[in-house]
Amino acid sequence: MKSYTNVKDLGNLQAAVKEALEIKKNRYAYKYIGENKTLLMVFFNSSLRTRLSTQKAGMNLGMNTIVLDINQGAWKLETERGVIMDGDKPEHILEAIPVMGCYCDIIGVRSFARFEDKQFDYQETILNQFIQYSGKPVFSMEAATGHPLQAFADLITIEEYKKKARPKVVLTWAPHPRALPQAVPNSFADFMNEADVDFVITHPEGYELDERFVRNATVEYDQMKAFEGADFIYAKNWAAYKDPNYGKILSTDRSWTVSEKHMAVTNNAYFMHCLPVRRNMIVTDDVIESPQSIVIPEAANREISAQTVIKRLLQDDK
Ligand code: AN0
Ligand code: CP
């Protein structure tokens, strides 16, 4: 694997999940393949899970890890070509990226959608610049349009908890006070469309995701109807994708907050969320604290998805 930006990079998905579950059984089985190799993790945005789980995954493989927070102590980076740099940004990303590439063997990048320019976001301008100019294998730690390490961990978790061959998995929008990217729901949809599940997406009108991710999913605007008979509920907020409302909040309707009333119509579904989650906005205390909530094992699987991906990048790095 040369880079990891979406589900396709994993090739056969069933084989990737199998490999991940093998790694989970013995996460130190490959502790020498990263010896004398350096993992650089570059963050343009905050993180708790990705930061810790990806660093741990690198360490499990014997790697040294360096973490760079672009907004804390590094030079502010200009990202547009052709700009006269007489403002507050002393360095251009087109020098910064190849320099970063000099000091490491693999680079992970977190760079959220900015919601300033849909094209800039949906062309994955920043992530692709890393791929083009770093000279090193690059993986997404949540970029503008996807969070494939999260979705891979989500699939591993569903595989571990499912009680039937083809479970019903529902991705539900839920309210949030700030405009959040579509990266998590996009990648979740991308993976669920490739997995053996009955996949339903529910959200208020206006919150339709990019069709390239929705593909064969059933879109149901009635949340309670969507929840009927579900085996897994995956909650997430996102801001509008569709023009002219790209990046906007269209609803704060708290009847969409996942509560016991919603869970009651499911098939005793498990509750999932990528975290961080705002309680009583996205999900009630009762649901997230219930025995059906698997948000912690889901987060734990981030180490496993990251390790599987980094292992594959190392193995290709001849
Ligand atoms: C981010 C998002 O919604 O994309 C990261 C989630 C993993 N969440 C927030 O900014 C709260
Ligand atoms: N789920 C996730 O990516 O969490 P962080 O933003 O804390 O890394």
Side-chain angles (χ1 to χ4, degrees), residues 27-46:
R27 62 194 78 194
Y28 301 107
Y30 298 94
K31 66 181 175 189
Y32 299 113
I33 67 167
E35 205 175 24
N36 298 328
K37 302 267 181 185
T38 299
L39 168 64
L40 172 62
M41 298 160 58
V42 182
F43 288 94
F44 288 85
N45 310 94
S46 304

Side-chain angles (χ1 to χ4, degrees), residues 112 142 147 176 180-181 184 236 274-276:
F112 290 176
E142 185 175 341
H147 194 357
H176 192 274
L180 296 185
V184 170
K236 183 72 184 85
C274 64
L275 307 182

Side-chain angles (χ1 to χ4, degrees), residues 138-273:
V138 169
F139 64 97
S140 166
M141 300 195 299
E142 185 175 341
T145 67
H147 194 357
L149 284 178
Q150 180 66 50
F152 188 16
D154 297 334
L155 178 60
I156 294 165
T157 310
I158 289 171
E159 202 56 39
E160 288 178 316
Y161 281 84
K162 74 180 184 188
K163 293 187 188 125
K164 54 165 89 113
R166 193 176 161 81
K168 177 175 176 181
V169 178
V170 179
L171 165 63
T172 181
W173 179 92
H176 192 274
R178 292 183 152 181
L180 296 185
Q182 297 97 25
V184 170
N186 283 346
S187 279
F188 188 69
D190 219 10
F191 273 70
M192 289 305 112
N193 272 310
E194 300 301 318
D196 196 9
V197 301
D198 173 12
F199 183 45
V200 178
I201 306 177
T202 184
H203 53 70
E205 284 198 40
Y207 278 100
E208 291 77 12
L209 294 164
D210 185 341
E211 297 213 337
R212 286 170 295 181
F213 298 104
V214 176
R215 300 203 288 279
N216 301 320
T218 305
V219 177
E220 170 58 66
Y221 294 102
D222 181 337
Q223 191 189 27
M224 289 301 275
K225 201 166 159 207
F227 273 45
E228 279 170 19
D231 298 296
F232 292 88
I233 297 298
Y234 191 96
K236 183 72 184 85
N237 172 266
W238 63 88
Y241 166 75
K242 267 197 336 193
D243 293 322
N245 293 319
Y246 179 66
K248 295 215 172 88
I249 295 177
L250 305 180
S251 168
T252 50
D253 181 357
R254 296 228 343 263
S255 74
W256 282 78
T257 302
V258 178
S259 69
E260 300 261 316
K261 179 192 83 177
H262 296 87
M263 296 305 281
V265 303
T266 68
N267 181 28
N268 198 23
Y270 288 109
F271 176 81
M272 299 178 73
H273 188 281

Side-chain angles (χ1 to χ4, degrees), residues 3-10 140 148 187 190-191 213:
S3 61
Y4 181 63
T5 64
N6 65 57
V7 67
K8 289 189 195 73
D9 294 322
L10 289 176
S140 166
S187 279
D190 219 10
F191 273 70
F213 298 104

